[in-house]
Amino acid sequence: MQQLIGIYGASGFGRELLPLVREQYPKASLCFVDDGSEDKELNGYKIYNYEDYLSLAYQDKSVVLAIADSKIREFLIAKCSKNNLAVLSVKASNTIVLDNVEIGEGSVLCHFTQLTSNIKIGKQFHANIYSYIAHDCVIGDYVTFAPRVSCNGNIHIHDHAYIGSGAVIKQGTPDKPLIIGKGAIVGMGAVVTKDVAAGAVVVGNPARPLNR
Ligand code: UDP
C-alpha cells in the first residue's frame, strides 16, 4: 500500500524533522503540509496546503506535526482526527530509551534525546536535539522541549509547558517532586531550582518569574 506522510509545518523545524521521518519510514513518500506557505517546494519536497493534501489519492496518509507551539499542535490534531488522518510519532535513530518508559502518541524525539528509566510522558511530547529526561519524571500532554534541555530526576512537568533551549531543571525527590505547572514557560538557559507556577514565565539563574 502506498504510504504518504506529510510533515505539517514547512518551516525550520519541519526541515529538521523531514530527514528523521525519511530514515524511520524509508518506503513512504514524503511531502510538507502548510497552511501559510506561498512556496510549492522546500528542500526538494512538495508543499501542499491541508485541503490539497487531503485530496491526494493515497490509501495510507498521515502527518507528523513539526510545530513547536503546543496549542497549534492541539488544534491540528483535532482537525486531522476529524479527517481520520493519523498523527505519527517520530524517533531519531540514536535516541536512547532505558527501562519502563511510557510515552503517548504523536511524540517527536530528535537526535541525541535520552529518556532514562521509569518515566511517564503524555501525548504530543516534542524533544528537540540533545535533551534528556532522567528517572521518575512525569511529563504531561503537549509538553515541548527546545534543544538541550536537562530535565533531572523526579520532576513533574504539566500539560503545555514549554522549556527553552539549554534550561536545566534541578532534580526533585520522590516525596517532593519539582513541579513545572501547566502552560509555564522556562526561558532559554534558565536554571530552575524550585517549583514553577502554572502559566508563569521564569528566566535566569536561579530562575525567577519574569515581570512583564
Ligand atoms: N502552520 C500551519 N498551520 C497552522 C499553523 C501553522 O501550516 O494552523 C505552519 C506555518 O505556516 C509555519 C509553520 O507551521 O510555516 C510553523 O512555523 P514556525 O516557524 O512558527 O514554528 P517552528 O518551525 O519554529 O515550530
Side-chain angles (χ1 to χ4, degrees):
M1 194 160 54
Q2 251 296 30
Q3 184 183 15
L4 178 66
I5 302 175
I7 316 304
Y8 211 139
S11 185
F13 193 42
R15 277 182 283 126
E16 291 176 333
L17 262 197
L18 190 139
L20 274 66
V21 179
R22 188 173 59 214
E23 188 182 15
Q24 190 175 346
Y25 302 92
K27 292 189 179 151
S29 299
L30 306 180
C31 66
F32 289 102
V33 181
D34 199 291
D35 304 306
S37 177
E38 306 270 295
D39 298 326
K40 297 277 170 255
E41 217 178 270
L42 184 63
N43 281 1
Y45 292 86
K46 288 209 164 110
I47 306 175
Y48 297 97
N49 67 34
Y50 184 72
E51 302 307 323
D52 288 347
Y53 184 71
L54 281 183
S55 68
L56 296 175
Y58 279 77
Q59 286 164 307
D60 179 356
K61 245 184 326 185
S62 50
V63 296
V64 165
L65 299 188
I67 294 176
D69 186 317
S70 65
K71 292 289 180 187
I72 295 180
R73 294 209 294 279
E74 190 169 30
F75 165 77
L76 292 179
I77 294 229
K79 185 168 88 167
C80 290
S81 77
K82 274 192 201 144
N83 297 115
N84 294 318
L85 273 183
V87 178
L88 303 182
S89 294
V90 184
K91 186 175 160 195
S93 52
N94 69 354
T95 303
I96 295 173
V97 179
L98 302 182
D99 288 343
N100 291 320
V101 175
E102 207 181 291
I103 184 158
E105 60 198 27
S107 61
V108 169
L109 305 177
C110 293
H111 280 104
F112 302 96
T113 302
Q114 292 196 42
L115 310 175
T116 72
S117 295
N118 302 88
I119 295 165
K120 190 166 185 280
I121 303 175
K123 62 184 173 187
Q124 271 296 318
F125 172 63
H126 277 199
N128 212 310
I129 51 174
Y130 289 101
S131 291
Y132 72 78
I133 300 180
H135 64 89
D136 300 305
C137 286
V138 180
I139 311 293
D141 295 333
Y142 297 99
V143 169
T144 309
F145 281 13
R148 208 181 277 284
V149 168
S150 302
C151 178
N152 292 297
N154 285 300
I155 291 167
H156 291 192
I157 302 183
H158 295 174
D159 299 352
H160 287 286
Y162 179 89
I163 316 297
S165 183
V168 178
I169 311 172
K170 185 182 178 185
Q171 76 172 54
T173 63
D175 294 346
K176 194 182 177 313
L178 187 146
I179 292 173
I180 309 274
K182 186 174 177 179
I185 297 175
V186 173
M188 181 170 64
V191 178
V192 179
T193 56
K194 50 189 186 194
D195 292 355
V196 175
V201 180
V202 298
V203 294
N205 176 11
R208 294 198 176 89
L210 179 69
N211 296 316
R212 288 184 289 187

